[in-house]
Amino acid sequence: MQQLQQYFQKSDLIPAIVVEDQTNEVLMLAYMNLESLQKTFETGYTWFWSRSRQELWNKGATSGHLQKVVCIYADCDDDTLLVRVQQTGAACHTGNHSCFFKEIWRENTCHKIP
C-alpha cells in the first residue's frame, strides 16, 4: 500500500487514461483514488472514483462492458496513470466504443479516428 500512495501525493484523485491494448485507441479518461486503484489491482478490472456521484464504480458492472486490465503505467511525475485494457463492448456510456468521438477541430494531416 505504501508504494501506491506515492501516486496520491498531489491529490486524492489521479487521472487515468484508458487505452485499448490491441488497437492503442484512447477509450476514456476517468479518475482513481487509492481505494479504486487497490480494487483494480485486486480484481484485474478497472475501478474508478465518480466525482459526480462521489462513489466507487466498477466500469461495466451494470452494462457488461468490462475492462480487463493488461498493464498500468505511471507518468514521469507519478500524477497520471495509463491503463491498458481489453475492452468488452463500448467504453462510453453513450454506446460509442470510445468516449472521444466528437471531433471539434482537425488539421488536414490529422488521421481521423475510425
Side-chain angles (χ1 to χ4, degrees):
M1 177 140 101
Q2 181 66 19
Q3 180 181 337
L4 295 182
Q5 290 184 355
Q6 76 186 55
Y7 304 111
F8 301 95
Q9 297 301 308
K10 297 176 186 171
S11 175
D12 290 340
L13 295 176
I14 187 169
I17 303 164
V18 181
V19 175
E20 190 162 36
D21 190 52
Q22 292 288 316
T23 65
N24 290 321
E25 182 179 10
V26 177
L27 298 175
M28 57 183 281
L29 170 79
Y31 291 87
M32 290 183 160
N33 63 7
L34 180 58
E35 185 179 4
S36 66
L37 184 55
Q38 287 171 325
K39 287 180 94 48
T40 297
F41 283 176
E42 291 167 8
T43 65
Y45 290 87
T46 54
W47 284 80
F48 301 105
W49 177 258
S50 171
R51 295 180 302 163
S52 59
R53 296 188 312 265
Q54 294 291 296
E55 66 183 16
L56 288 174
W57 59 284
N58 175 222
K59 178 66 177 166
T62 56
S63 68
H65 297 175
L66 298 169
Q67 295 175 335
K68 174 75 174 124
V69 177
V70 175
C71 56
I72 300 175
Y73 290 89
D75 76 339
C76 56
D77 294 323
D78 288 340
D79 61 5
T80 304
L81 299 177
L82 177 67
V83 184
R84 298 187 66 85
V85 302
Q86 294 173 343
Q87 177 69 45
T88 300
C92 185
H93 72 281
T94 64
N96 285 284
H97 188 69
S98 168
C99 292
F100 296 97
F101 61 92
K102 297 179 185 178
E103 183 178 294
I104 60 172
W105 186 83
R106 176 167 44 112
E107 174 64 39
N108 289 338
T109 58
C110 180
H111 297 284
K112 185 174 173 111
I113 296 174

